[in-house]
Amino acid sequence: MNLKYTIRDLALAPEGQRKIDWVIPRMQVLNRVRKEFEEQLPFKGKKVVICLHLEAKTAYLAQVIKAGGAEVTVVASNPLSTQDDVVAALVQGGIGAHAWYNATDKEFHHHLQLALDTEPDFIIDDGGDLVSTMHTTRPELLQKVKGGAEETTTGVLRLHSMARDGVLKFPMVAVNDAQCKYLFDNRYGTGQSVWDGIMRTTNLVVAGKTAVVAGYGWCGKGVALRAKGLGARVIICEINPIKANEALMDGFEVMPMVEAAKYGDFFITVTGNTNIINQEHFVVMKSGAIMCNAGHFDVEVNVAQLKAIAVSERTARTNITEYTLPNGQSIYLLAEGRLVNLAAGDGHPAEVMDMTFALQALSLEYVALNHDKLPPAVYQVNTEIDERVAMLKLESLGLSIDRLTKEQEAYLAAWSSEEA
């Protein structure tokens, strides 16, 4: 039997609605998209399942998709980022939901299954959980799903692996790869929200301390830039020689993690890979070192090894676990090694997520209108959509830019000196 919702407490809805009401006027691009959707109803009669971090900005995206005529169900992409009051507000507003904060692994996957029981036509995924679950446990749904969009670097990598192996059964748009996503969400959004999460959780100063950032992709660049702005010494750990050189020329130190582990006061993993900080690093860290993760899955800090070597473990403060090592040193892990900016914070700023979620909404509309011409594959965000979101953002800020004259267009199109 399909369940409309599986949540903690519907009575929390008023507080959740206040959070949603706060972000709506700060997401002007998505507001423009909503007006179009209300007029055109691109998802009329269709079912959409959204698997994202369930907080206020995501809630508004769900409402925008619903405004486009869809029957919407949301489910969590991370058990510690779900805000129960926001989920209750969505249910109160007629959106299905299967999620609650701090769900067990069994509950988390059960919620995914309940969401998929709605037999969606389209999906929005974060990290590939919906896509992976359908392909492994719900193959009967694969012919029903017409396509969707993926939010994160990790999810896009998983999709490309599936496409490479010939197992992906429907088209997916790699929203993460759009310029209006990674240049702003990944860089400025992650940079600010990670340090928001660290500072509100620890209540410690950053200036004068050493921050070790593992990974110098767009998220890592944002985290490093904000650490520098807060007055920290910044060390970058990388496996890519090009990115390592880039970090060096951006003014940061570069060294292997086993060396950096001796110096760090704060450690932030942003790689999307597994086992980035492990036993060989824990044992050389100075007492008081604080570790956290900003990659999608909780595999970057090897918590199992940390628990195995610790002589004691205790909750030092909400979202901070203290581990005492045999050498007497104490090191700390934030938010159980899950996404620190969401598990210990409110995620990216609303103005940044405005662009990302506008990309999500418009990319899903693109799939809805063109799915019959899109064979199973991973697709880049349409350039026109990317540039349109950027222009709408400028307009929402009251800004305008120059445009090419016909003479300039002709000059750029010319290939010979005579034409020019």
Side-chain angles (χ1 to χ4, degrees), residues 134-205:
M134 275 190 283
H135 282 74
T136 55
T137 70
R138 302 297 296 272
E140 77 279 6
L141 300 177
L142 297 177
Q143 294 301 314
K144 177 76 162 36
V145 177
K146 298 175 177 63
E150 166 59 47
E151 173 83 358
T152 67
T153 305
T154 299
V156 170
L157 290 173
R158 295 174 82 180
L159 288 174
H160 279 301
S161 295
M162 294 176 72
R164 181 195 62 222
D165 293 344
V167 298
L168 184 63
K169 298 300 182 183
F170 45 76
M172 289 290 293
V173 178
V175 169
N176 181 77
D177 294 349
Q179 292 185 82
C180 276
K181 206 279 187 182
Y182 65 76
L183 289 175
F184 304 99
D185 178 322
N186 294 23
R187 177 168 48 174
Y188 298 109
T190 304
Q192 180 169 322
S193 65
V194 162
W195 285 105
D196 284 346
I198 293 171
M199 291 188 293
R200 72 194 286 182
T201 302
T202 65
N203 193 32
L204 297 176
V205 71

Side-chain angles (χ1 to χ4, degrees), residues 148-363:
E150 166 59 47
E151 173 83 358
T152 67
T153 305
T154 299
V156 170
L157 290 173
R158 295 174 82 180
L159 288 174
H160 279 301
S161 295
M162 294 176 72
R164 181 195 62 222
D165 293 344
V167 298
L168 184 63
K169 298 300 182 183
F170 45 76
M172 289 290 293
V173 178
V175 169
N176 181 77
D177 294 349
Q179 292 185 82
C180 276
K181 206 279 187 182
Y182 65 76
L183 289 175
F184 304 99
D185 178 322
N186 294 23
R187 177 168 48 174
Y188 298 109
T190 304
Q192 180 169 322
S193 65
V194 162
W195 285 105
D196 284 346
I198 293 171
M199 291 188 293
R200 72 194 286 182
T201 302
T202 65
N203 193 32
L204 297 176
V205 71
V206 179
K209 293 182 178 175
T210 298
V212 177
V213 180
Y216 203 64
W218 288 107
C219 292
K221 290 174 186 176
V223 172
L225 180 65
R226 291 292 169 262
K228 182 179 181 180
L230 288 165
R233 168 197 181 193
V234 181
I235 299 172
I236 303 297
C237 300
E238 251 298 342
I239 59 166
N240 184 311
I242 296 173
K243 291 181 180 179
N245 274 283
E246 186 180 9
L248 188 65
M249 292 194 178
D250 283 344
F252 303 121
E253 298 176 60
V254 176
M255 63 183 72
M257 179 60 76
V258 71
E259 291 297 321
K262 304 171 186 175
Y263 305 111
D265 296 294
F266 296 101
F267 293 83
I268 305 98
T269 56
V270 211
T271 71
N273 209 334
T274 188
N275 202 30
I276 305 304
I277 303 179
N278 55 43
Q279 182 173 340
E280 68 171 324
H281 310 121
F282 301 143
V283 296
V284 298
M285 287 181 180
K286 54 189 181 183
S287 193
I290 294 169
M291 300 174 291
C292 64
N293 169 52
H296 185 76
F297 293 116
D298 57 339
V299 296
E300 303 204 25
V301 178
N302 194 322
V303 182
Q305 284 188 0
L306 182 56
K307 289 177 177 290
I309 66 172
V311 296
S312 68
E313 172 186 341
R314 74 181 184 96
T315 299
R317 183 178 164 102
T318 301
N319 276 321
I320 305 179
T321 306
E322 177 185 15
Y323 293 89
T324 302
L325 305 184
N327 60 10
Q329 307 281 65
S330 290
I331 58 178
Y332 299 86
L333 179 66
L334 306 188
E336 302 177 13
R338 297 186 184 276
L339 278 165
V340 69
N341 53 339
L342 281 148
D346 287 321
H348 293 1
E351 301 94 332
V352 172
M353 292 310 298
D354 186 26
M355 299 175 74
T356 294
F357 284 163
L359 287 171
Q360 284 282 14
L362 292 172
S363 294

Side-chain angles (χ1 to χ4, degrees), residues 54-82:
L54 297 182
E55 44 74 54
K57 285 92 66 182
T58 301
Y60 188 46
L61 171 64
Q63 291 176 346
V64 169
I65 300 298
K66 182 177 183 291
E71 177 185 319
V72 178
T73 300
V74 300
V75 66
S77 64
N78 185 303
L80 291 186
S81 63
T82 299

